[in-house]
Amino acid sequence: MKQLSSSNPLKVPGDASGKKFRIMTSDVLQAQFEAVDAVPLKKPFSEVFTLLQTKAIDGQENTWSNIYSKKFFEVQPYITESNHGVLDYLVVTSAEFWMGLDNDLKVEVKKALAEAIKHGNTIAAQKALADKQKIIDSRRSEVLTLSDAERAQWVEAMKPVWKKFEDQIGADLIKAAEASNN
């Protein structure tokens, strides 16, 4: 899950107003930050530390492991545990390869993939918790936890973004994502 680091505390959407945030190249991410009146800047990941250190940007979004391993917490006094987005990976193959497998082998490959993904997700979750704790223990950044009421304000601010991309993403997937957060 992604968190927000910033030069100022971010508890409600209004706290992001006018602040510059580095984002990955994504129209959805751009719309999310614009929905809270922030300024999204599409910049390479390799530049984030320097941009934060020189105060060229006010914040960024990332996983606990990236915030820790890239030392963003050393130059950002606040990290909001927002869990506002997923940074995930896909397993992809060609249709030609997949269709070339016999059905019994497809069943075994699906089973092996399910096991590997479950194991990988368990390791990633453990790493996220460990890196979050390392950040807390460092006392370099204050980790802010949102109340239910504060989180509800962020969710409400994002609803126009969901609507904007509904045709591209699919209403069914947006509803499934929303339901998974309940």
Side-chain angles (χ1 to χ4, degrees), residues 54-70:
T54 61
K55 303 199 184 321
I57 58 174
D58 300 297
Q60 60 85 48
E61 61 168 5
N62 245 299
T63 61
W64 287 114
S65 60
N66 282 344
I67 293 169
Y68 180 72
S69 68
K70 298 302 181 186

Side-chain angles (χ1 to χ4, degrees), residues 27-45:
D27 292 340
V28 173
L29 295 178
Q30 181 176 335
Q32 287 177 334
F33 281 88
E34 288 172 348
V36 296
D37 198 30
V39 180
L41 300 171
K42 296 175 181 177
K43 297 287 186 179
F45 183 63

Side-chain angles (χ1 to χ4, degrees), residues 86-101:
V86 175
L87 186 57
D88 229 341
Y89 302 94
L90 297 172
V91 176
V92 180
T93 188
S94 70
E96 180 183 2
F97 169 78
W98 187 251
M99 298 312 285
L101 299 177

Side-chain angles (χ1 to χ4, degrees), residues 1 11 17 20 30 43-44 56 69 74 86 88 96-97 104 109 112-113 119 122 140 149 155 167-170 178 180:
M1 299 299 292
K11 296 288 275 184
S17 182
K20 294 179 284 186
Q30 181 176 335
K43 297 287 186 179
S69 68
E74 291 183 0
V86 175
D88 229 341
E96 180 183 2
F97 169 78
D104 290 342
V109 170
L113 276 172
H119 179 69
T122 298
R140 303 283 303 260
V155 169
D167 289 343
Q168 291 172 274
I169 297 169
E178 188 176 8
S180 74

Side-chain angles (χ1 to χ4, degrees), residues 117-128:
I117 290 167
K118 182 178 179 181
H119 179 69
N121 287 344
T122 298
I123 291 170
Q126 291 169 346
K127 175 127 181 73

